[in-house]
Amino acid sequence: MSDEALLAGVALGDDDAVLKFVRRYQRRLFGLALGIVGDAGCAEDVAQEAFLRILRHASVYDVRRGPVSSWALTITRNLAIDALRLRRSVPTAPGDVVFANLTSRGTGPADIIESADPAAPVWSALARLPLDQRRCVVLAAIYGHTAVEISIMESIPLGTAKSRLRLGMARLRDTLVRESS
Amino acid sequence: MNASLGRECAGVRDDLSEFALGILAGRDRSRVLDHVATCPSCRGELESLAALADSLVELAPSAEAPVGFESRLLERYHSQHRHRQRPKVRLLALTGAALLLVASGFALGGLSSRRPDSPSSAAPLSANLTSQGRNVGQFWVSSETPAWIYMSLDDANWSGTAWCRVTLRGGRILDVGAFSVNHGYGAWAARLDVARTALASAQVTDGSGRVLASVSLST
Ligand SMILES: [Zn+2]
């Protein structure tokens, strides 16, 4: 069953659809929250709150704004960043294998996913960014770090962190637009 | 960087990626919002960067949730829902058309407000967001159809995910979406599928429906 159909079921109060939706998304929402807040207890709080909001607002999801996954992940990401601002003092580089893959030299990430994955073009565009820009984009977009935090983590001036982020985002966007047309 | 950009645009473009990723500080966010409300070129740039930000979040690592995550979540969900008395509908009983209607959230048929804007309304409409008579932010509506809305909260004294709801003339209510408010600061933009002349008021609420700020757009 498609994500959209599941959400429609959730909106109509179908408990079976709720359970299926939670099972389909819990690893992704929890994983995203964990990557940002870095603590399993806090990540569970964030992921649960995100699920409750998604389930409660299933009827306002607008299919024309993009996939359900992006909507659900963006809600989770925003909540995680909120939670993080209240607790993170010293920024540290993520220790998970995805970060290592996303930011290693070569095309690493593109090798480990199937081309049928809807995120495949994003992985491959990311793999072609210069390593320094790629690290900044990943730290900001996936792990919720600010430019100030990135400048500390990468031991670079703030202006450099901001410009790497801006250049990396612009190049990624241009690559994806070019390849989808 | 495009050398033909004005100085104000160039300054805003430096912050646009961070804005799209939700990691820009409150004061800079307001500056970006003020600018994109009047600059279609930077607004287009922001739209494309925000779409990219949504794609990038798909790459986040998955992780096994702690034991009991699902049962704790479902218990919370059902305890909140017990009071709601929603009609139970078997999913299989829905037709494809009904599914599409629900999935697309707000299908806006039958709006009678397609009056052309008057010539004097080309500039974005701007009004204060207030809470109990106090100004807590700003709300803009662009002049094009469909209209963009932008909002910036800067004194709401609250953190969390805020929800925006718009009331149309005639009483129809649209839940537009959600954005983050951090220690009173938050900013957000969305495109509505209606002309700005159709808007009567807007409310920003927390997840439980408590009103954090509201604005009346009657002219
Ligand atoms: Zn501009």
Side-chain angles (χ1 to χ4, degrees):
Chain A
M1 187 180 288
S2 75
D3 285 350
E4 290 77 12
L6 267 189
L7 265 193
V10 170
L12 292 165
D14 184 313
D15 289 346
D16 193 42
V18 170
L19 182 61
K20 283 191 176 127
F21 185 84
V22 169
R23 291 198 171 148
R24 186 175 293 182
Y25 273 100
Q26 63 175 315
R27 295 186 78 256
R28 296 190 70 186
L29 266 52
F30 178 75
L32 172 66
L34 185 63
I36 295 174
V37 301
D39 168 90
C42 181
E44 167 159 352
D45 290 346
V46 166
Q48 292 221 355
E49 188 59 30
F51 266 120
L52 291 172
R53 288 174 192 221
I54 291 160
L55 296 172
R56 202 186 299 143
H57 293 270
S59 60
V60 299
Y61 161 72
D62 181 349
V63 73
R64 290 161 298 178
R65 287 201 201 144
V68 172
S69 55
S70 297
W71 180 67
L73 288 162
T74 299
I75 287 174
T76 309
R77 181 176 177 282
N78 291 343
L79 285 170
I81 288 175
D82 285 347
L84 189 64
R85 295 285 169 259
L86 303 176
R87 30 182 296 137
R88 186 163 63 194
S89 47
V90 182
T92 52
D96 60 77
V97 66
V98 173
F99 180 73
N101 264 316
L102 282 168
T103 57
S104 62
R105 289 178 194 283
T107 56
D111 298 339
I112 60 167
I113 54 151
E114 298 168 31
S115 55
D117 186 324
V122 188
W123 284 92
S124 87
L126 196 62
R128 280 176 279 157
L129 276 191
L131 187 59
D132 53 1
Q133 291 175 16
R134 199 192 315 165
R135 287 181 65 92
C136 288
V137 167
V138 168
L139 286 169
I142 300 177
Y143 295 90
H145 288 289
T146 64
V148 170
E149 289 171 342
I150 292 169
S151 77
I152 295 167
M153 295 161 77
E154 300 286 275
S155 304
I156 51 177
L158 176 59
T160 307
K162 286 175 78 83
S163 70
R164 284 180 186 173
L165 191 55
R166 176 169 54 77
L167 292 171
M169 287 286 283
R171 192 185 293 209
L172 264 185
R173 187 258 327 264
D174 294 345
T175 303
L176 289 167
V177 167
R178 196 167 54 239
E179 291 184 352
S180 70
S181 62
Chain B
M1 173 129 302
N2 190 336
S4 68
L5 285 177
R7 199 199 306 164
E8 196 185 344
C9 289
V12 165
R13 297 278 168 120
D14 283 344
D15 287 338
L16 228 41
S17 286
E18 289 158 77
F19 183 95
L21 292 167
I23 55 170
L24 195 63
R27 189 169 304 171
D28 293 330
R29 271 205 301 255
S30 307
R31 191 171 58 88
V32 170
L33 269 174
D34 281 339
H35 181 76
V36 295
T38 57
C39 177
S41 160
C42 288
R43 189 157 66 233
E45 182 80 1
L46 175 58
E47 201 177 343
S48 70
L49 290 170
L52 173 61
D54 284 355
S55 305
L56 283 167
V57 84
E58 302 260 9
L59 305 185
S62 291
E64 209 58 61
V67 175
F69 178 92
E70 183 180 297
S71 56
R72 286 190 291 276
L73 171 60
L74 291 174
E75 192 173 321
R76 287 179 67 186
Y77 173 75
H78 289 301
S79 74
Q80 290 181 357
H81 259 240
R82 213 161 285 147
H83 319 290
R84 293 200 167 193
Q85 299 172 346
R86 281 166 179 269
K88 286 227 169 191
V89 179
R90 294 296 308 159
L91 200 51
L92 290 174
L94 289 171
T95 65
L99 270 180
L100 190 66
L101 193 69
V102 176
S104 66
F106 33 114
L108 302 171
L111 280 175
S112 58
S113 54
R114 292 277 167 153
R115 288 170 286 156
D117 282 357
S118 65
S120 63
S121 64
L125 182 69
S126 169
N128 289 323
L129 278 163
T130 61
S131 172
Q132 292 164 346
R134 205 163 50 91
N135 285 351
V136 293
Q138 199 71 20
F139 192 92
W140 297 263
V141 189
S142 74
S143 58
E144 70 253 59
T145 299
W148 277 82
I149 56 171
Y150 307 88
M151 63 207 74
S152 166
L153 283 178
D154 50 35
D155 188 25
N157 191 25
W158 183 79
S159 290
T161 299
W163 299 86
C164 176
R165 163 175 291 187
V166 163
T167 305
L168 304 183
R169 296 185 195 287
R172 184 173 186 142
I173 290 172
L174 303 180
D175 282 310
V176 186
F179 61 104
S180 289
V181 174
N182 194 10
H183 297 298
Y185 288 94
W188 188 63
R191 188 160 68 190
L192 300 177
D193 288 355
V194 298
R196 88 173 182 194
T197 46
L199 298 184
S201 65
Q203 288 186 326
V204 179
T205 67
D206 69 10
S208 69
R210 185 171 66 93
V211 177
L212 301 169
S214 60
V215 61
S216 169
L217 300 164
S218 49
T219 46

